[in-house]
């Protein structure tokens, strides 16, 4: 309970600051509506079901992109990590595209996947897959040498060592990669929803609200997107604690 | 030694690191059932020797044969210095011990029988269904030792097994280990950087020189078993220790 005091106080402080800024008329009320108005407009949008639908669409796209990214990134990363010399060969390419802003890839993916759902999910999956792959590979490469030797001396063959030791050793790092991956996927999906012919999703909603001067709603949708990112991150942290119980001990 | 009595025969062993020879034509015979202590200055290649013998490190030349067989053809046990990095923390202690037995393809009933027998032999009083990180350092290293002995190895390798433990735990574990090793008559290679420990646990102590490594002295330790903590104060022990210390100091100075 006491752990909640500080974050709640911080959030309340933030809203207060916002209200103060409104009272002080720091900006035009059309650009900066009072928090109560933003809350009411967001609540109405949820009650009408439209914002819930937009949120769900974003979750769906992010989830799908993340699943594709994990299905490719984890096995490929583990395999590359186990063949370290091979990984050193592709490391530059992985690093390069990992550092490339995913938004710069939109035009290319538009050509490949067309202006529909495919492109949004593919770009997000591509960005997330590289992060996941990179982390999985490093998890395997940094596996404790002693454990590998211990397994070998106990009669484990190379494939058995991969399954019984390397994957477990890499698991904490794999989950870190997945956590970063899902956050990145959310970022890319929201941007894609803004600019690539969308009719729904949080990105679409936020830019629509801006263009229609529904500034209260615009702020609300930003916070919904923020809450989504925060919860995804938190969920993964809990998963890590649960499944990597030995980490750091 | 007659050939039947020889458990390990090392002939013309060669190993170099980055062009620097560590072993150049090293010979050694170890008697069946003996505990051979290996002691020497830092970097003289003690661990290198047992890692090559255990097949964990390739040798540049020469041969290490166990009754005429390669290491890959015999059952071995290995206890690492750092139990934290050697045990599998994602498996419970008991599953760590079961692991090599499962790799051998032993049926479930036999695996359980061996686990029970080991727990009895080592008088385990803690819960083996805990995860390694829930156990004390001494308990973790005991689990490592049990895991190494589970396969009933023909040769056991101990690489500074107690160096990460406190003195009290070391004494207790040392007593337990010497009793079990002598009961089972397992041929053992022990690397230690503690002279006292090397003498207490060995039938024979090999004192190595600096690189390129040769044998500075080969000391038979004829003290009665079991060697309790009280044995550390006996005149025979003191004499042996004085001799070894003298050899060591000359080996380091040379």
């Amino acid at each position: 309970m006491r752990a909640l005091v500080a974050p709640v106080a911080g959030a309340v402080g933030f809203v207060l600051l916002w209200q103060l800024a409104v009272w002080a008329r720091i900006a035009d009320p059309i650009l900066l509506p009072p928090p109560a108005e933003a809350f009411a407009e967001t609540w109405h949008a949820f009650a009408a079901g439209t914002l819930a639908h937009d949120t769900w669409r974003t979750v769906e796209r992010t989830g799908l992109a993340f699943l594709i990214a994990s299905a490719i990134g984890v096995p490929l990363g583990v395999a590359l990590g186990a063949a370290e010399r091979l990984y050193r060969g592709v490391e530059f390419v992985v690093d390069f595209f990992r550092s490339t802003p995913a938004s710069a890839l939109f035009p290319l993916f538009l050509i490949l996947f067309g202006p529909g759902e495919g492109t949004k999910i593919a770009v997000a999956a591509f960005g997330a897959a590289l992060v996941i792959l990179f982390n999985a590979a490093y998890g395997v490469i940094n596996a404790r040498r002693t454990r590998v030797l211990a397994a070998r001396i106990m009669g484990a063959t190379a494939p058995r060592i991969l399954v019984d030791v390397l994957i477990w050793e890499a698991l904490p790092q794999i989950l870190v990669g997945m956590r970063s991956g899902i956050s990145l996927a959310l970022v890319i999906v929201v941007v894609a929803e803004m600019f690539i012919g969308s009719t729904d999703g949080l990105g679409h909603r936020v830019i629509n609200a801006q263009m229609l001067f529904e500034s209260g709603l615009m702020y609300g949708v930003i916070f919904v997107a923020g809450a989504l990112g925060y919860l995804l991150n938190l969920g993964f942290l809990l998963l890590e604690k649960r499944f990597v119980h030995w980490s750091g001990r | 030694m007659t050939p039947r009595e020889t458990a390990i025969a090392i002939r013309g062993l060669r190993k170099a690191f980055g062009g620097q020879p560590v072993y150049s034509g090293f010979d050694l015979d170890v008697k069946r059932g003996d505990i051979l202590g290996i002691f020497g200055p830092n970097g003289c290649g003690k661990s290198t020797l047992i890692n090559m013998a255990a097949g964990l490190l390739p040798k540049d030349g020469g041969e290490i044969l166990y009754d005429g067989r390669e290491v890959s053809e015999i059952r071995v046990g290995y206890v690492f210095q750092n139990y934290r990095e050697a045990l599998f923390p994602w498996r419970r202690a008991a599953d760590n011990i079961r692991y090599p037995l499962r790799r051998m393809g032993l049926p479930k009933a036999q695996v359980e029988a061996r686990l029970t027998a080991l727990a009895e032999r080592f008088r385990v009083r803690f819960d083996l269904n805990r995860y390694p990180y829930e156990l004390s350092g001494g308990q973790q290293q005991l689990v490592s030792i049990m895991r190494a002995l589970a396969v009933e190895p023909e040769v056991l390798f101990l690489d500074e097994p107690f160096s990460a433990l406190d003195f009290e735990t070391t004494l207790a574990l040392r007593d337990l280990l010497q009793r079990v090793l002598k009961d089972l008559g397992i041929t053992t290679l022990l690397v230690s950087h503690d002279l006292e420990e090397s003498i207490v646990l060995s039938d024979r102590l090999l004192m190595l020189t600096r690189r390129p490594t040769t044998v500075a002295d080969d000391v038979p330790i004829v003290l009665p078993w079991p060697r309790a903590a009280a044995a550390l104060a006996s005149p025979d022990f003191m004499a042996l220790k004085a001799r070894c210390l003298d050899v060591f100091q000359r080996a380091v100075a040379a």
Side-chain angles (χ1 to χ4, degrees):
Chain A
M1 226 42 218
R2 189 170 294 180
L4 281 178
V5 172
V8 167
V12 170
F14 174 76
V15 174
L16 264 170
L17 213 64
W18 179 0
Q19 185 65 58
L20 281 174
V22 172
W23 279 330
R25 283 205 154 256
I26 283 178
D28 190 313
I30 295 192
L31 299 180
L32 187 68
E37 190 188 318
F39 180 79
E41 280 185 26
T42 311
W43 182 257
H44 285 311
F46 260 118
T50 51
L51 187 51
H53 173 74
D54 285 320
T55 307
W56 172 243
R57 290 294 290 149
T58 300
V59 169
E60 223 176 13
R61 288 181 183 122
T62 305
L64 190 57
F66 170 73
L67 283 182
I68 295 168
S70 299
I72 295 168
V74 173
L76 201 59
V78 168
L80 284 172
E84 196 180 337
R85 213 170 297 165
L86 187 60
Y87 182 73
R88 295 297 168 204
V90 299
E91 188 174 23
F92 172 72
V93 178
V94 171
D95 264 351
F96 184 84
F97 282 106
R98 205 165 58 86
S99 316
T100 307
S103 41
L105 295 167
F106 281 144
L108 171 64
F109 276 72
L110 274 169
I111 297 174
L112 294 173
F113 292 92
E117 280 299 289
T119 295
K120 297 186 202 69
I121 290 162
V123 180
F126 179 80
L130 286 175
V131 173
I132 295 171
L133 182 152
F134 164 84
N135 275 286
Y138 265 90
V140 171
I141 287 171
N142 292 332
R144 305 271 163 78
R145 179 122 184 89
T146 310
R147 272 188 201 125
V148 175
L149 292 179
R152 207 164 91 200
I153 211 148
M154 291 188 286
T157 54
R160 276 240 75 109
I161 289 175
L162 182 67
V163 173
D164 291 343
V165 182
L166 292 179
I167 288 179
W168 292 90
E169 278 280 280
L171 196 57
Q173 194 71 38
I174 290 174
L175 285 175
V176 167
M178 287 169 107
R179 182 153 55 88
S180 320
I182 203 164
S183 299
L184 183 62
L186 178 65
V187 169
I188 299 173
V189 163
V190 169
V191 174
E193 286 169 346
M194 289 183 187
F195 302 115
I196 303 178
S198 285
T199 51
D200 51 16
L202 289 175
H204 167 76
R205 196 62 188 257
V206 81
I207 206 154
N208 239 22
Q210 183 243 357
M211 289 191 297
L212 298 175
F213 286 104
E214 297 174 327
S215 54
L217 181 63
M218 183 188 79
Y219 284 99
V221 178
I222 290 172
F223 287 127
V224 170
L228 192 57
Y230 184 81
L231 287 178
L232 286 175
N233 199 51
L234 191 68
F236 260 91
L237 281 176
L238 292 176
L239 266 181
E240 282 168 40
K241 251 201 172 140
R242 176 92 177 70
F243 282 107
V244 199
H245 54 87
W246 65 89
S247 177
R249 303 217 242 179
Chain B
M1 265 191 260
T2 68
R4 276 307 298 169
E5 276 190 302
T6 312
I8 311 175
I10 299 178
R11 291 290 174 275
L13 183 67
R14 283 188 294 108
K15 181 75 186 174
F17 288 115
Q20 290 280 329
V22 182
Y23 290 99
S24 39
F26 185 85
D27 298 332
L28 179 70
D29 285 286
V30 183
K31 217 174 86 186
R32 188 174 309 282
D34 257 10
I35 302 176
L36 177 78
I38 301 166
F39 188 80
N42 248 345
C44 77
K46 304 183 288 277
S47 295
T48 304
L49 180 62
I50 72 163
N51 286 342
M52 283 191 286
L56 292 180
L57 192 69
K59 46 189 191 291
D60 294 348
E63 55 180 28
I64 302 176
L65 292 177
Y66 299 83
D67 220 357
R69 293 165 301 166
E70 291 287 340
V71 66
S72 53
E73 300 169 280
I74 64 163
R75 290 187 313 275
V76 297
Y78 195 115
V79 178
F80 293 86
Q81 172 184 9
N82 192 337
Y83 45 83
R84 266 181 227 289
E85 294 196 351
L87 290 173
F88 300 149
W90 48 85
R91 285 174 191 265
R92 295 171 189 280
D95 285 329
N96 265 281
I97 300 168
R98 288 184 187 112
Y99 186 78
L101 299 172
R102 295 210 176 114
R103 293 285 71 76
M104 277 172 76
L106 238 52
K108 205 166 186 285
Q110 276 190 51
V111 171
E112 294 314 306
R114 283 211 193 174
L115 182 62
T116 315
L118 271 171
E120 273 168 27
R121 194 177 276 286
F122 281 96
R123 300 171 189 160
V124 174
R125 284 191 213 90
F126 56 92
D127 185 6
L128 284 175
N129 279 317
R130 287 178 175 277
Y131 286 99
Y133 56 78
E134 297 174 310
L135 305 175
S136 72
Q139 290 169 339
Q140 289 183 51
Q141 192 59 307
L142 182 57
V143 170
S144 299
I145 293 170
M146 288 167 74
R147 184 174 76 168
L149 288 176
V151 296
E152 297 179 351
E154 293 163 72
V155 181
L156 177 68
F157 300 97
L158 302 168
D159 186 8
E160 306 199 7
F162 307 126
S163 63
L165 299 172
D166 63 70
F167 187 59
E168 191 188 340
T169 310
T170 298
L171 280 187
L173 217 47
R174 220 153 76 176
D175 280 1
L176 201 54
L177 183 65
Q178 57 167 291
R179 194 173 46 73
V180 172
L181 290 184
K182 283 294 140 189
D183 277 0
L184 299 173
I186 297 174
T187 311
T188 302
L189 294 190
L190 163 77
V191 163
S192 172
H193 62 201
D194 183 319
L195 182 57
E196 204 165 284
E197 177 174 300
S198 308
I199 298 172
V200 170
L201 281 176
S202 305
D203 287 298
R204 176 183 163 204
L205 182 57
L206 205 63
M207 309 276 300
L208 300 180
T209 62
R210 282 186 177 286
R211 296 183 188 186
T213 311
T214 55
V215 176
D217 201 359
D218 190 341
V219 190
I221 311 289
V222 279
L223 297 171
W225 296 94
R227 297 166 183 170
L232 297 180
S234 76
D236 287 347
F237 181 88
M238 300 299 258
L240 273 169
K241 192 174 167 187
R243 170 182 168 185
C244 292
L245 204 57
D246 183 50
V247 171
F248 178 73
Q249 269 160 345
R250 271 186 284 122
V252 173

